[in-house]
């Protein structure tokens, strides 16, 4: 069964550094999402992406965050200057149509030192 | 603002027991998702419901639109069912708003 792939599984970065989290959504999917889960808390929405542009973003998704679909297969989340509070598990998800469920990747655990 | 609340937070059962996890949601949510999160963190979609009932193996999900309530049932529970079960709500195509999750432990 096709799946969403995220790399790396664990990223350790110094505070203030830029980090890029990578996702390969399921190949014929059109809607893409990033979520995060701080340890011990619930999953929170960051951003959704459709037709090569952001369709919705949360208040968490400030100017330090950006997303890109550079080559038609990858979907990346960039954090420009990481803070300690960015430490979390980041999940990518994709769906084929608006009526289908979202498929999640296994997540990238981001640790900011 | 879309809200999702689920109960209980923690649930311990003996193998073979029938399990129910409940979820209430606010106005504005038209599709309710049930998800499973394993200890390693990965999230698997179990059901997406906008009406009625769905069944997959030993898992059953129901939704009552008038009462804005959904339940996830597990029949003949097994230790491998131990995980965090999360309900999440959204509108068609939109972001998901997640509940806090229910930590289920099934003892042999």
């Amino acid at each position: 069964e096709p799946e969403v792939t995220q790399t790396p599984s664990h990223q350790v970065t110094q505070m203030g550094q830029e980090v890029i989290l990578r996702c390969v959504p399921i190949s014929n999917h059109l809607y893409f999402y990033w979520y995060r889960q701080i340890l011990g808390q619930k999953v929170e929405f960051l951003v959704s992406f459709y037709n090569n542009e952001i369709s919705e973003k949360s208040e968490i998704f400030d100017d330090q965050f950006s997303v890109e679909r550079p080559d038609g297969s990858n979907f990346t989340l960039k954090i420009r200057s990481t803070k300690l509070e960015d430490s979390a598990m980041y999940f990518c998800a994709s769906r084929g149509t608006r009526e289908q469920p979202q498929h999640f990747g296994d997540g990238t655990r981001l640790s900011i030192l | 603002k879309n809200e999702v609340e689920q109960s209980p937070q923690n649930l311990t059962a003996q193998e073979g027991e029938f399990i129910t996890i409940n979820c209430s949601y606010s106005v504005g949510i038209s599709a309710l998702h049930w998800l499973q999160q394993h200890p390693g963190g990965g999230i698997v979609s179990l059901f997406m419901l906008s009406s009625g009932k769905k069944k997959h193996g030993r898992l059953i999900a129901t939704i009552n639109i008038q009462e804005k309530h959904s339940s996830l049932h597990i029949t003949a529970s097994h230790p491998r069912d131990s995980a965090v079960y999360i309900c999440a709500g959204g509108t068609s195509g939109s972001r998901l708003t997640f509940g806090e999750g229910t930590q289920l432990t099934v003892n042999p």
Side-chain angles (χ1 to χ4, degrees):
Chain A
E1 187 177 329
E3 55 185 32
V4 175
T5 306
Q6 288 187 243
T7 54
S9 56
H10 191 189
Q11 173 85 45
V12 182
T13 301
Q14 292 288 333
M15 188 171 60
Q17 296 294 304
E18 176 183 284
V19 67
I20 297 175
L21 309 182
R22 301 182 192 279
C23 171
V24 179
I26 294 173
S27 64
N28 59 350
H29 282 188
L30 301 175
Y31 297 83
F32 312 110
Y33 307 84
W34 282 102
Y35 296 89
R36 79 169 186 194
Q37 185 178 33
I38 294 170
L39 188 63
Q41 297 186 21
K42 63 182 177 180
V43 179
E44 302 171 287
F45 168 78
L46 292 177
V47 66
S48 59
F49 193 87
Y50 171 72
N51 202 24
N52 284 320
E53 61 183 21
I54 291 173
S55 46
E56 191 178 2
K57 59 183 181 180
S58 72
E59 54 279 359
I60 302 168
F61 194 88
D62 63 21
D63 292 344
Q64 292 301 309
F65 290 87
S66 63
V67 288
E68 206 175 36
R69 189 156 160 79
D71 56 12
S73 62
N74 290 284
F75 179 50
T76 61
L77 174 69
K78 184 195 290 188
I79 310 175
R80 249 178 284 281
S81 177
T82 49
K83 306 185 192 70
L84 294 175
E85 54 264 36
D86 293 328
S87 295
M89 183 78 106
Y90 288 80
F91 292 101
C92 172
S94 69
R95 73 200 310 178
T97 69
R98 293 165 66 88
E99 289 70 39
Q100 289 176 328
Q102 295 182 26
H103 294 255
F104 287 80
D106 286 339
T108 293
R109 183 168 299 284
L110 178 62
S111 301
I112 307 299
L113 304 179
Chain B
K1 185 178 175 185
N2 293 341
E3 300 272 347
V4 174
E5 300 214 359
Q6 61 182 107
S7 63
Q9 267 191 310
N10 293 283
L11 182 54
T12 301
Q14 287 300 121
E15 184 172 356
E17 284 184 8
F18 181 83
I19 286 160
T20 297
I21 300 169
N22 295 300
C23 179
S24 298
Y25 58 93
S26 64
V27 172
I29 286 173
S30 60
L32 203 289
H33 301 247
W34 283 101
L35 307 152
Q36 183 189 55
Q37 186 171 31
H38 281 281
I43 295 174
V44 175
S45 179
L46 299 174
F47 297 104
M48 176 178 165
L49 288 166
S50 52
S51 65
K53 176 178 168 177
K54 288 190 177 178
K55 184 175 190 289
H56 186 258
R58 294 180 294 105
L59 301 178
I60 303 165
T62 63
I63 190 167
N64 184 318
I65 297 164
Q66 285 74 33
E67 295 186 6
K68 295 187 179 37
H69 181 268
S70 177
S71 293
L72 177 69
H73 306 285
I74 305 175
T75 61
S77 59
H78 191 276
R80 66 175 173 265
D81 296 327
S82 298
V84 176
Y85 292 84
I86 304 171
C87 73
T91 57
S92 180
S94 76
R95 64 158 86 179
L96 292 180
T97 299
F98 287 73
E100 300 278 351
T102 294
Q103 173 69 65
L104 171 65
T105 304
V106 182
N107 293 318

